Amino acid sequence: MKTAYIVQPFTKQGSQLITDTAIQCNSADEAIRRADKFSSMRAGVIAVSQEYDEETGDYGELKVLAKYGEIPAGAIGDED
């Protein structure tokens, strides 16, 4: 199993939160640092990790590493 680390920023257009381009990171620490940096520039941002198996295409549970500001409902599963 490998682990993907992703930072997903969100901008606000009117009353809607819109996803910006996701950023792939090399570690949990890097994802948390980048999410923290984006937190002052975006309406919201989450950093997540997810294990995956390249051979089978199976994905594990999404884990939230950091969460700042406004996050759209459903963006991180049942937690919203």
Side-chain angles (χ1 to χ4, degrees):
M1 296 285 271
K2 291 188 175 187
T3 304
Y5 302 97
I6 305 292
V7 173
Q8 179 62 68
F10 300 93
T11 57
K12 201 158 196 173
Q13 288 185 349
S15 62
Q16 285 190 316
L17 288 169
I18 308 297
T19 58
D20 281 346
T21 302
I23 302 158
Q24 187 165 352
C25 300
N26 294 316
S27 68
D29 288 340
E30 180 186 355
I32 292 166
R33 280 193 309 274
R34 285 184 177 224
D36 183 58
K37 180 180 176 183
F38 272 96
S39 70
S40 65
M41 299 182 280
R42 300 293 189 270
V45 61
I46 54 175
V48 297
S49 68
Q50 187 172 37
E51 289 187 340
Y52 65 96
D53 186 323
E54 288 182 310
E55 291 180 21
T56 65
D58 291 336
Y59 286 85
E61 189 174 325
L62 195 67
K63 295 180 184 175
V64 177
L65 304 172
K67 178 177 163 182
Y68 300 94
E70 297 179 63
I71 307 298
I76 48 180
D78 296 337
E79 203 170 298
D80 286 288

